């Protein structure tokens, strides 16, 4: 069974802090690793994504760090804001399978 | 563009009842999929389609049927609802070869289903 393991399950930080969410995978054939952000009552929306040929990708305050040898990737949120309070999902896809495998999600709360 | 739309937003069923969750997209996407979201389980793929007339099973297909007669619509049918199917259901679509081709998946707003 292909899996993506996500931690922590929940996270509380102060405004301005840098929450870090980690994901680990097993299948070395995965070649696309997106992160999704979900607000209560809404569907997930793509936040940022990375391919395994790069070790880091930044978009605004969001950064993905990727460690291919360790089969791990993480999301960092710089200067976090209360508006970043949401559930974050990592995912991975396998070429030719037409499928995403999602992590179990991290509920982030940023205190004002 | 309305993007991905889902109806209804909420539904309560009794055990054994049947119903269809509707999903439509206006982005001319070839790939569409259905997920269920349960606490602590993340999003799990139920069924997906790579084009009109082509569907396949995902991770948790039992108890659900799908069909894809048009590019725009991808309904999910529960033939005999069970309490274990209480969940939030999301439909998603993407262009080209789907998520495994680096294409962004766009999600609908979800349907919250309760089976008593």
């Amino acid at each position: 069974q292909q899996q993506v393991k996500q931690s922590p399950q929940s996270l509380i930080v102060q405004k301005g802090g840098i929450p870090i969410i980690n994901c680990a995978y097993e299948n070395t054939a995965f070649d696309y690793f997106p992160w999704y952000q979900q607000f209560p009552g809404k569907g997930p929306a793509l936040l940022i994504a990375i391919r395994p040929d790069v070790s880091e990708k930044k978009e605004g305050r969001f950064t993905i760090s990727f460690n291919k040898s360790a089969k791990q990737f993480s999301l960092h949120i710089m200067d976090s804001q209360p508006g970043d309070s949401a559930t974050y999902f990592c995912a991975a896809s396998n070429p030719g399978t037409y499928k995403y495998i999602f992590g179990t999600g991290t509920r982030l709360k940023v205190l004002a | 563009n309305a993007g991905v739309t889902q109806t209804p937003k909420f539904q309560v069923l009794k055990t054994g009842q049947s119903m269809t969750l509707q999903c439509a997209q206006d982005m001319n996407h070839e790939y569409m999929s259905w997920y269920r979201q349960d606490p602590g389980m993340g999003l799990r793929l139920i069924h997906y389609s790579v084009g009109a007339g082509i569907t396949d099973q995902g991770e948790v297909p039992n108890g659900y049927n799908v069909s894809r007669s048009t590019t725009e619509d991808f309904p999910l049918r529960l033939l005999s609802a069970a309490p274990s199917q209480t969940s939030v259901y999301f439909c998603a679509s993407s262009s080209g070869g789907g998520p495994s081709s680096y294409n962004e998946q766009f999600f609908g707003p979800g349907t919250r289903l309760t089976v008593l």
Side-chain angles (χ1 to χ4, degrees), chain A residues 31-103:
Chain A
D31 71 342
Y32 182 58
F33 302 89
W35 283 90
Y36 278 81
Q37 181 187 55
Q38 184 182 31
F39 293 105
K42 304 292 185 182
L46 179 66
L47 187 63
I48 187 173
I50 197 169
R51 302 182 194 181
D53 53 348
V54 297
S55 60
E56 186 177 274
K57 183 175 182 180
K58 292 184 180 181
E59 288 188 5
R61 296 184 294 108
F62 300 92
T63 298
I64 299 179
S65 297
F66 188 85
N67 187 329
K68 189 175 182 178
S69 61
K71 293 186 285 186
Q72 295 175 346
F73 58 109
S74 59
L75 177 70
H76 302 233
I77 305 176
M78 306 301 177
D79 187 27
S80 59
Q81 302 296 313
D84 296 330
S85 297
T87 299
Y88 293 82
F89 293 96
C90 62
S93 72
N94 197 356
T97 64
Y98 302 104
K99 299 176 185 178
Y100 275 161
I101 305 297
F102 278 87

Coordinates of all heavy atoms in Angstrom, one line a residue, chain A residues 31-103:
Chain A
D31 N 6.6 11.3 -8.2 CA 7.4 12.3 -8.9 C 6.8 13.7 -8.8 O 7.2 14.6 -9.5 CB 7.7 11.9 -10.3 CG 6.5 12.0 -11.2 OD1 5.4 12.0 -10.7 OD2 6.6 12.0 -12.4
Y32 N 5.8 13.9 -8.0 CA 5.1 15.2 -7.9 C 4.5 15.3 -6.5 O 3.8 14.3 -6.1 CB 4.0 15.3 -9.0 CG 3.3 16.6 -9.0 CD1 3.9 17.8 -9.2 CD2 1.9 16.6 -8.9 CE1 3.3 19.0 -9.3 CE2 1.2 17.8 -8.9 CZ 1.9 19.0 -9.1 OH 1.2 20.2 -9.2
F33 N 4.9 16.4 -5.8 CA 4.5 16.5 -4.4 C 3.8 17.8 -4.2 O 4.5 18.8 -3.9 CB 5.8 16.3 -3.5 CG 6.5 15.0 -3.8 CD1 7.5 14.9 -4.7 CD2 6.2 13.9 -3.0 CE1 8.1 13.7 -4.9 CE2 6.8 12.7 -3.2 CZ 7.8 12.6 -4.1
P34 N 2.5 17.9 -4.2 CA 1.8 19.1 -3.9 C 1.4 19.3 -2.5 O 1.3 18.3 -1.8 CB 0.6 19.0 -4.8 CG 0.3 17.5 -4.9 CD 1.6 16.8 -4.7
W35 N 1.2 20.5 -2.1 CA 0.6 20.8 -0.8 C -0.8 21.5 -1.0 O -0.8 22.4 -1.9 CB 1.5 21.7 0.1 CG 2.6 21.0 0.7 CD1 3.9 20.8 0.1 CD2 2.6 20.3 2.0 NE1 4.7 20.1 1.0 CE2 3.9 19.8 2.1 CE3 1.7 20.2 3.0 CZ2 4.3 19.1 3.3 CZ3 2.1 19.5 4.1 CH2 3.4 19.0 4.3
Y36 N -1.8 21.1 -0.3 CA -3.1 21.7 -0.4 C -3.5 22.4 0.9 O -3.1 21.9 2.0 CB -4.1 20.7 -0.8 CG -4.2 20.4 -2.3 CD1 -3.3 19.5 -2.8 CD2 -5.1 21.0 -3.1 CE1 -3.3 19.2 -4.2 CE2 -5.2 20.7 -4.4 CZ -4.3 19.9 -5.0 OH -4.3 19.6 -6.3
Q37 N -4.2 23.5 0.8 CA -4.7 24.2 1.9 C -6.2 24.2 1.9 O -6.8 24.3 0.9 CB -4.2 25.7 1.8 CG -4.7 26.6 3.0 CD -4.3 28.1 2.6 OE1 -4.6 28.6 1.6 NE2 -3.5 28.7 3.5
Q38 N -6.8 23.9 3.1 CA -8.2 23.8 3.1 C -8.8 24.6 4.3 O -8.4 24.3 5.5 CB -8.7 22.3 3.3 CG -10.2 22.1 3.3 CD -10.6 20.7 3.5 OE1 -9.9 19.9 4.1 NE2 -11.7 20.3 2.9
F39 N -9.7 25.5 4.0 CA -10.4 26.3 5.1 C -11.7 25.5 5.4 O -12.2 24.8 4.6 CB -10.6 27.7 4.6 CG -9.4 28.5 4.4 CD1 -8.9 28.8 3.2 CD2 -8.7 28.9 5.5 CE1 -7.7 29.5 3.0 CE2 -7.5 29.7 5.4 CZ -7.0 29.9 4.1
P40 N -12.2 25.7 6.6 CA -13.4 25.1 7.0 C -14.6 25.3 6.1 O -14.8 26.4 5.6 CB -13.7 25.7 8.4 CG -12.4 26.1 8.9 CD -11.6 26.5 7.7
G41 N -15.2 24.2 5.7 CA -16.4 24.3 4.8 C -16.0 24.5 3.4 O -16.9 24.7 2.5
K42 N -14.8 24.4 3.0 CA -14.3 24.6 1.6 C -13.6 23.4 1.1 O -13.2 22.5 1.9 CB -13.4 25.8 1.5 CG -14.0 27.1 2.1 CD -15.1 27.6 1.2 CE -15.6 29.0 1.7 NZ -16.8 29.4 0.9
G43 N -13.4 23.3 -0.2 CA -12.6 22.3 -0.8 C -11.1 22.6 -0.7 O -10.8 23.8 -0.6
P44 N -10.2 21.6 -0.7 CA -8.8 21.9 -0.7 C -8.4 22.7 -2.0 O -9.0 22.6 -3.0 CB -8.2 20.5 -0.8 CG -9.2 19.6 -0.3 CD -10.5 20.2 -0.8
A45 N -7.4 23.5 -1.8 CA -6.9 24.3 -2.9 C -5.4 24.2 -3.0 O -4.7 24.2 -1.9 CB -7.3 25.8 -2.8
L46 N -4.8 24.1 -4.2 CA -3.4 23.9 -4.3 C -2.6 25.1 -3.8 O -3.0 26.3 -4.1 CB -3.0 23.7 -5.8 CG -1.5 23.5 -6.1 CD1 -1.0 22.2 -5.5 CD2 -1.3 23.5 -7.6
L47 N -1.6 24.9 -3.0 CA -0.8 25.9 -2.4 C 0.5 26.1 -3.1 O 0.9 27.1 -3.5 CB -0.6 25.6 -0.9 CG 0.0 26.6 0.0 CD1 -0.8 27.9 0.1 CD2 0.2 26.1 1.4
I48 N 1.2 25.0 -3.2 CA 2.5 24.9 -3.8 C 2.9 23.5 -4.1 O 2.4 22.6 -3.4 CB 3.6 25.6 -2.8 CG1 4.9 25.7 -3.4 CG2 3.6 24.8 -1.5 CD1 5.9 26.5 -2.6
A49 N 3.7 23.3 -5.1 CA 4.1 21.9 -5.4 C 5.5 21.8 -5.8 O 6.1 22.8 -6.3 CB 3.2 21.4 -6.5
I50 N 6.1 20.6 -5.7 CA 7.5 20.5 -6.1 C 7.8 19.1 -6.8 O 7.0 18.2 -6.6 CB 8.4 20.6 -4.8 CG1 9.9 20.8 -5.1 CG2 8.3 19.3 -3.9 CD1 10.7 21.2 -3.9
R51 N 8.7 19.1 -7.6 CA 9.2 17.9 -8.2 C 10.5 17.4 -7.6 O 11.2 18.3 -7.1 CB 9.3 18.0 -9.7 CG 8.1 18.5 -10.4 CD 8.3 18.6 -11.9 NE 7.2 19.3 -12.5 CZ 7.1 19.6 -13.9 NH1 8.1 19.1 -14.7 NH2 6.1 20.2 -14.4
P52 N 10.9 16.2 -7.6 CA 12.0 15.7 -6.9 C 13.4 16.1 -7.5 O 14.4 15.8 -6.9 CB 11.9 14.2 -7.0 CG 11.0 13.9 -8.1 CD 10.1 15.1 -8.2
D53 N 13.4 16.9 -8.6 CA 14.7 17.3 -9.1 C 15.2 18.6 -8.5 O 16.3 19.1 -8.9 CB 14.6 17.4 -10.7 CG 13.4 18.3 -11.1 OD1 12.6 18.6 -10.3 OD2 13.4 18.7 -12.3
V54 N 14.4 19.2 -7.6 CA 14.8 20.4 -6.9 C 14.7 20.1 -5.4 O 13.9 19.3 -4.9 CB 14.0 21.6 -7.3 CG1 14.2 22.0 -8.7 CG2 12.6 21.4 -7.0
S55 N 15.5 20.8 -4.6 CA 15.5 20.6 -3.1 C 14.7 21.6 -2.4 O 14.3 21.4 -1.2 CB 16.9 20.6 -2.6 OG 17.5 21.9 -2.8
E56 N 14.3 22.7 -3.0 CA 13.5 23.7 -2.3 C 12.8 24.5 -3.4 O 13.2 24.8 -4.5 CB 14.4 24.6 -1.5 CG 13.7 25.6 -0.7 CD 14.7 26.5 0.2 OE1 15.0 26.0 1.3 OE2 15.1 27.6 -0.3
K57 N 11.6 24.9 -3.0 CA 10.8 25.8 -3.8 C 10.0 26.8 -2.9 O 9.4 26.4 -1.9 CB 9.7 25.0 -4.6 CG 8.9 25.9 -5.6 CD 8.1 25.1 -6.5 CE 7.3 25.9 -7.4 NZ 6.4 25.1 -8.3
K58 N 10.1 28.1 -3.3 CA 9.4 29.1 -2.5 C 8.4 29.8 -3.3 O 8.6 30.1 -4.5 CB 10.5 30.2 -2.1 CG 11.5 29.7 -1.1 CD 12.4 30.9 -0.6 CE 13.4 30.4 0.4 NZ 14.3 31.5 0.9
E59 N 7.2 30.1 -2.7 CA 6.2 30.9 -3.3 C 5.6 31.8 -2.2 O 4.9 31.3 -1.3 CB 5.1 30.1 -3.9 CG 5.5 29.4 -5.2 CD 4.4 28.7 -6.0 OE1 3.2 28.8 -5.5 OE2 4.7 28.0 -7.0
G60 N 6.1 33.1 -2.2 CA 5.6 34.0 -1.2 C 6.2 33.6 0.2 O 7.4 33.3 0.3
R61 N 5.3 33.4 1.1 CA 5.7 33.0 2.5 C 5.8 31.5 2.6 O 6.1 31.0 3.7 CB 4.8 33.6 3.5 CG 4.8 35.1 3.6 CD 3.8 35.6 4.6 NE 2.4 35.3 4.4 CZ 1.7 34.5 5.1 NH1 2.3 33.7 6.0 NH2 0.4 34.3 4.8
F62 N 5.5 30.7 1.6 CA 5.4 29.3 1.7 C 6.6 28.7 1.0 O 7.0 29.0 -0.1 CB 4.1 28.8 1.0 CG 2.9 29.3 1.7 CD1 2.3 30.4 1.3 CD2 2.3 28.6 2.8 CE1 1.1 30.9 1.9 CE2 1.2 29.1 3.4 CZ 0.6 30.3 3.0
T63 N 7.3 27.7 1.7 CA 8.5 27.0 1.1 C 8.3 25.5 1.3 O 7.9 25.1 2.4 CB 9.7 27.5 1.9 OG1 9.9 28.9 1.7 CG2 11.0 26.8 1.4
I64 N 8.6 24.8 0.2 CA 8.7 23.3 0.4 C 10.2 23.0 0.4 O 11.0 23.4 -0.5 CB 8.1 22.6 -0.8 CG1 6.6 22.9 -0.9 CG2 8.3 21.1 -0.7 CD1 5.9 22.2 -2.1
S65 N 10.6 22.2 1.3 CA 11.9 21.6 1.4 C 11.8 20.1 1.0 O 10.9 19.4 1.6 CB 12.6 21.8 2.7 OG 12.8 23.1 3.0
F66 N 12.7 19.6 0.1 CA 12.5 18.2 -0.3 C 13.9 17.5 -0.1 O 14.9 18.0 -0.6 CB 12.1 18.2 -1.8 CG 11.8 16.9 -2.3 CD1 10.5 16.4 -2.2 CD2 12.8 16.1 -3.0 CE1 10.2 15.1 -2.6 CE2 12.4 14.9 -3.5 CZ 11.2 14.3 -3.3
N67 N 13.8 16.4 0.5 CA 15.0 15.5 0.7 C 14.8 14.2 0.1 O 14.1 13.3 0.7 CB 15.3 15.4 2.2 CG 16.6 14.6 2.5 OD1 17.0 13.8 1.8 ND2 17.2 15.0 3.6
K68 N 15.3 14.0 -1.1 CA 15.0 12.8 -1.9 C 15.6 11.6 -1.3 O 15.0 10.5 -1.2 CB 15.6 13.0 -3.3 CG 15.2 11.9 -4.3 CD 15.7 12.2 -5.7 CE 15.3 11.2 -6.7 NZ 15.7 11.5 -8.1
S69 N 16.8 11.7 -0.7 CA 17.5 10.5 -0.1 C 16.7 10.0 1.1 O 16.6 8.8 1.4 CB 18.9 10.8 0.2 OG 19.0 11.8 1.2
A70 N 16.1 11.0 1.9 CA 15.4 10.6 3.1 C 13.9 10.3 2.8 O 13.2 9.9 3.7 CB 15.5 11.7 4.1
K71 N 13.5 10.6 1.6 CA 12.1 10.4 1.1 C 11.2 11.2 2.1 O 10.2 10.7 2.6 CB 11.7 8.9 1.1 CG 12.5 8.2 0.0 CD 12.0 6.8 -0.2 CE 12.5 5.9 0.9 NZ 12.2 4.5 0.8
Q72 N 11.6 12.5 2.2 CA 10.8 13.4 3.1 C 10.7 14.7 2.4 O 11.5 15.2 1.7 CB 11.5 13.5 4.5 CG 11.5 12.3 5.3 CD 12.3 12.5 6.6 OE1 13.0 13.4 6.8 NE2 12.2 11.5 7.5
F73 N 9.5 15.4 2.7 CA 9.4 16.8 2.3 C 8.6 17.5 3.3 O 7.8 16.9 4.1 CB 8.8 16.9 0.9 CG 7.4 16.2 0.7 CD1 6.3 17.0 0.5 CD2 7.3 14.8 0.7 CE1 5.0 16.4 0.3 CE2 6.1 14.2 0.5 CZ 4.9 15.0 0.3
S74 N 8.8 18.8 3.4 CA 8.1 19.6 4.4 C 7.7 21.0 3.9 O 8.2 21.5 2.9 CB 9.1 19.8 5.6 OG 10.3 20.4 5.2
L75 N 6.7 21.5 4.6 CA 6.1 22.8 4.3 C 6.5 23.8 5.4 O 6.2 23.4 6.6 CB 4.6 22.7 4.1 CG 3.9 24.1 3.9 CD1 4.2 24.6 2.5 CD2 2.4 23.9 4.0
H76 N 7.1 24.9 5.1 CA 7.4 25.9 6.0 C 6.6 27.2 5.7 O 6.5 27.6 4.5 CB 8.9 26.3 6.0 CG 9.8 25.2 6.2 ND1 10.8 25.2 7.1 CD2 9.9 24.0 5.6 CE1 11.5 24.1 7.1 NE2 11.0 23.3 6.2
I77 N 6.0 27.8 6.7 CA 5.2 29.0 6.5 C 5.9 30.1 7.2 O 5.9 30.2 8.5 CB 3.7 28.9 7.0 CG1 3.1 27.6 6.3 CG2 2.9 30.1 6.6 CD1 1.7 27.4 6.8
M78 N 6.5 31.0 6.5 CA 7.2 32.1 7.1 C 6.3 33.2 7.6 O 5.2 33.4 6.9 CB 8.2 32.7 6.1 CG 9.1 31.7 5.5 SD 10.2 30.9 6.7 CE 11.1 29.8 5.7
D79 N 6.6 33.9 8.7 CA 5.8 35.0 9.2 C 4.3 34.6 9.2 O 3.5 35.3 8.6 CB 6.1 36.2 8.3 CG 5.4 37.5 8.9 OD1 5.2 37.5 10.2 OD2 5.1 38.4 8.1
S80 N 4.0 33.6 9.9 CA 2.6 33.1 9.8 C 1.6 34.1 10.3 O 1.9 34.9 11.3 CB 2.5 31.7 10.6 OG 2.9 31.9 11.9
Q81 N 0.4 34.1 9.8 CA -0.6 35.0 10.1 C -1.9 34.2 10.5 O -2.1 33.1 10.1 CB -0.9 35.9 8.9 CG 0.2 36.7 8.4 CD 0.7 37.7 9.4 OE1 -0.1 38.4 9.9 NE2 2.1 37.7 9.6
P82 N -2.8 34.9 11.3 CA -4.0 34.2 11.7 C -4.8 33.7 10.4 O -5.5 32.6 10.5 CB -4.8 35.3 12.4 CG -3.7 36.1 13.0 CD -2.6 36.2 12.0
G83 N -4.7 34.4 9.3 CA -5.4 33.9 8.1 C -4.8 32.7 7.5 O -5.4 32.1 6.6
D84 N -3.7 32.2 8.0 CA -3.1 30.9 7.6 C -3.7 29.8 8.3 O -3.4 28.6 8.0 CB -1.6 30.9 7.8 CG -0.9 32.0 6.9 OD1 -1.3 32.3 5.8 OD2 0.2 32.5 7.4
S85 N -4.5 30.0 9.3 CA -5.2 29.0 10.1 C -6.1 28.2 9.1 O -7.0 28.7 8.6 CB -6.0 29.6 11.2 OG -5.1 30.2 12.1
A86 N -5.7 26.9 9.0 CA -6.4 26.0 8.0 C -5.9 24.6 8.2 O -5.0 24.4 9.1 CB -6.1 26.5 6.6
T87 N -6.4 23.7 7.4 CA -5.8 22.3 7.4 C -5.0 22.2 6.2 O -5.4 22.6 5.1 CB -7.0 21.3 7.4 OG1 -7.7 21.4 8.6 CG2 -6.4 19.9 7.4
Y88 N -3.8 21.6 6.4 CA -2.9 21.4 5.3 C -2.6 20.0 5.0 O -2.5 19.2 5.9 CB -1.5 22.1 5.6 CG -1.6 23.6 5.7 CD1 -2.1 24.2 6.9 CD2 -1.3 24.4 4.6 CE1 -2.3 25.6 6.9 CE2 -1.5 25.8 4.7 CZ -2.0 26.4 5.9 OH -2.1 27.7 6.0
F89 N -2.7 19.6 3.7 CA -2.5 18.3 3.2 C -1.3 18.2 2.3 O -1.2 19.0 1.4 CB -3.7 17.7 2.5 CG -4.9 17.6 3.3 CD1 -5.9 18.5 3.4 CD2 -5.2 16.4 4.0 CE1 -7.1 18.4 4.1 CE2 -6.3 16.2 4.8 CZ -7.3 17.2 4.8
C90 N -0.4 17.2 2.5 CA 0.6 16.9 1.5 C 0.0 15.8 0.7 O -0.9 15.1 1.1 CB 1.9 16.5 2.2 SG 1.8 15.0 3.2
A91 N 0.6 15.6 -0.5 CA 0.2 14.6 -1.4 C 1.4 14.1 -2.3 O 2.4 14.8 -2.3 CB -1.0 15.0 -2.3
A92 N 1.2 13.0 -2.9 CA 2.2 12.5 -3.9 C 1.5 11.8 -5.0 O 0.4 11.2 -4.8 CB 3.2 11.6 -3.2
S93 N 2.1 11.9 -6.2 CA 1.5 11.2 -7.3 C 2.6 10.4 -8.0 O 3.8 10.7 -8.0 CB 0.8 12.1 -8.3 OG 1.8 12.9 -9.0
N94 N 2.1 9.3 -8.6 CA 2.9 8.3 -9.3 C 2.7 8.4 -10.8 O 1.5 8.3 -11.2 CB 2.5 7.0 -8.7 CG 3.5 5.9 -9.0 OD1 4.5 6.1 -9.6 ND2 3.2 4.7 -8.4
P95 N 3.7 8.6 -11.6 CA 3.5 8.7 -13.0 C 2.7 7.6 -13.6 O 2.9 6.4 -13.3 CB 4.9 8.8 -13.6 CG 5.8 8.5 -12.5 CD 5.1 8.6 -11.2
G96 N 1.7 8.0 -14.4 CA 0.9 7.0 -15.1 C -0.2 6.3 -14.3 O -1.0 5.6 -14.9
T97 N -0.4 6.7 -13.0 CA -1.4 6.0 -12.2 C -2.7 6.9 -12.1 O -3.7 6.4 -11.7 CB -0.9 5.7 -10.8 OG1 -0.6 7.0 -10.2 CG2 0.3 4.9 -10.8
Y98 N -2.6 8.2 -12.5 CA -3.7 9.1 -12.4 C -4.2 9.3 -11.0 O -5.4 9.6 -10.8 CB -4.9 8.6 -13.3 CG -4.5 8.4 -14.8 CD1 -4.3 7.1 -15.3 CD2 -4.4 9.5 -15.6 CE1 -4.0 7.0 -16.6 CE2 -4.0 9.3 -16.9 CZ -3.8 8.1 -17.4 OH -3.5 7.9 -18.7
K99 N -3.4 9.1 -10.0 CA -3.9 9.1 -8.7 C -3.0 10.0 -7.8 O -1.8 10.0 -8.0 CB -3.9 7.7 -8.0 CG -4.8 6.8 -8.7 CD -4.7 5.4 -8.1 CE -5.6 4.4 -8.9 NZ -5.4 3.0 -8.3
Y100 N -3.6 10.7 -6.8 CA -2.9 11.3 -5.7 C -3.0 10.4 -4.5 O -4.1 9.8 -4.3 CB -3.5 12.6 -5.3 CG -3.1 13.9 -6.0 CD1 -3.9 15.0 -6.0 CD2 -1.9 13.9 -6.8 CE1 -3.6 16.2 -6.7 CE2 -1.6 15.1 -7.4 CZ -2.4 16.2 -7.4 OH -2.1 17.4 -8.0
I101 N -2.0 10.3 -3.7 CA -2.1 9.8 -2.4 C -1.9 10.9 -1.4 O -0.9 11.6 -1.5 CB -0.9 8.7 -2.1 CG1 -1.0 7.6 -3.2 CG2 -1.1 8.1 -0.7 CD1 -2.2 6.8 -3.2
F102 N -2.9 11.1 -0.5 CA -2.9 12.3 0.4 C -2.4 11.8 1.8 O -2.6 10.7 2.2 CB -4.3 12.8 0.5 CG -4.6 13.8 -0.6 CD1 -5.2 13.3 -1.7 CD2 -4.4 15.1 -0.5 CE1 -5.6 14.1 -2.7 CE2 -4.8 16.0 -1.5 CZ -5.4 15.5 -2.6
G103 N -1.7 12.8 2.4 CA -1.4 12.6 3.9 C -2.7 12.8 4.7 O -3.8 13.2 4.1

